[in-house]
Amino acid sequence: MHGLPEAPTMRAELAHVDYRTTPEYYIDPDQVSDPVVLRLLSCCPTVFGLKKAMADLLADRLGIALPEHAGVIEPGATVRGQVLVAAGAVIAEGAFVTGPVLVCSGAVIEAGARVRDNSVIGPGCRIGFGAEVTRSLLTGGVFMKHTSFVGDSVLGLGVNIGAFVSTTGLRVTSGPVTEPATEEVSAHLDGQRIGTGQTKFGAVIGDGVIVPAGTVLQPATLIGAHTLLYPKTQVGGFFPAGSQGR
């Protein structure tokens, strides 16, 4: 008599996953200092699951303990909904934050910046005037000091977003744009389309990448860690870790 099959483990699941779609390909877990961010990354076999994992984390559905609300919200900041500001983090006067949002230790959301909708701002990040973040994970040490937009995306450690950079996350090839979106966004690896399971998916930008000013990232752009991007109006597709993108 056969027993019940064992539940699939993360290791078994990863056996069927292209390594270039895993969080570890883009973000070095040994360098992630925040325990909540580290556990968030570790619970997802692919980067495409991180958006839902963030929503589950902030809704307390993952069983991951969140830090105490011990940071600073300056008078004059506009904060709505569930916004957790960890010790050492600051939401400055003139900033706009709409939860659910987690702001980790040492992060600063400066005047004129906007963060909203199931976002996690990792330790040491700086979000400056005119920068907007929505439904995104900024792992740590990310600089967005100028007018820019990051949505439905994952940014690795030490990523620098130049002025007027924008991710895009919506397919516009199938007729009129609808809200909510209905068409799945696909990534491209080796000439093959890989479904993200998302109707909005921006970019995954690996550790140490600098995105030059004025760059527009096409939906589901995948940029490996320490890739060198040269100035260019539009960037899309897959860039292997350590490569050069022109």
Side-chain angles (χ1 to χ4, degrees):
M1 179 175 180
H2 296 291
L4 292 174
E6 294 184 2
T9 64
M10 180 72 75
R11 184 179 300 276
E13 191 171 358
L14 282 173
H16 305 287
V17 169
D18 189 315
Y19 182 62
R20 296 168 297 177
T21 67
T22 65
E24 292 83 0
Y25 185 81
Y26 300 90
I27 301 160
D28 182 354
D30 292 336
Q31 301 302 316
V32 175
S33 62
D34 188 273
V36 173
V37 173
L38 185 60
R39 289 196 64 189
L40 183 66
L41 293 169
S42 68
C43 74
C44 293
T46 77
V47 290
F48 307 130
L50 283 167
K51 260 181 62 180
K52 182 179 185 302
M54 281 190 294
D56 289 342
L57 170 75
L58 296 172
D60 197 24
R61 292 192 291 262
L62 290 184
I64 298 175
L66 297 175
E68 294 183 3
H69 183 91
V72 174
I73 300 175
E74 294 183 351
T78 301
V79 177
R80 298 188 177 97
Q82 177 197 351
V83 177
L84 200 161
V85 186
V90 176
I91 300 177
E93 176 185 4
F96 297 84
V97 183
T98 303
V101 166
L102 169 61
V103 186
C104 296
S105 178
V108 178
I109 301 174
E110 299 176 359
R114 182 181 294 273
V115 177
R116 58 187 176 91
D117 301 343
N118 290 312
S119 291
V120 174
I121 308 302
C125 293
R126 297 290 187 272
I127 315 300
F129 184 89
E132 180 176 359
V133 178
T134 181
R135 297 183 300 273
S136 294
L137 168 63
L138 279 56
T139 307
V142 172
F143 276 21
M144 291 180 63
K145 298 286 288 183
H146 308 286
T147 299
S148 52
F149 174 77
V150 167
D152 306 288
S153 297
V154 177
L155 274 57
L157 298 166
V159 168
N160 190 299
I161 301 294
F164 305 110
V165 166
S166 179
T167 64
T168 59
L170 182 67
R171 286 189 62 182
V172 293
T173 57
S174 303
V177 172
T178 60
E179 186 63 44
T182 58
E183 295 289 330
E184 182 182 18
V185 175
S186 295
H188 292 81
L189 285 170
D190 301 331
Q192 302 295 316
R193 294 179 62 179
I194 298 178
T196 65
Q198 314 285 327
T199 57
K200 290 184 178 179
F201 195 88
V204 181
I205 305 175
D207 292 348
V209 173
I210 299 172
V211 184
T215 302
V216 176
L217 301 172
Q218 297 174 11
T221 296
L222 305 176
I223 304 173
H226 307 293
T227 294
L228 174 61
L229 292 179
Y230 289 92
K232 190 176 181 181
T233 305
Q234 292 194 33
V235 168
F238 171 69
F239 296 83
S243 64
Q244 297 185 12
R246 296 182 182 273

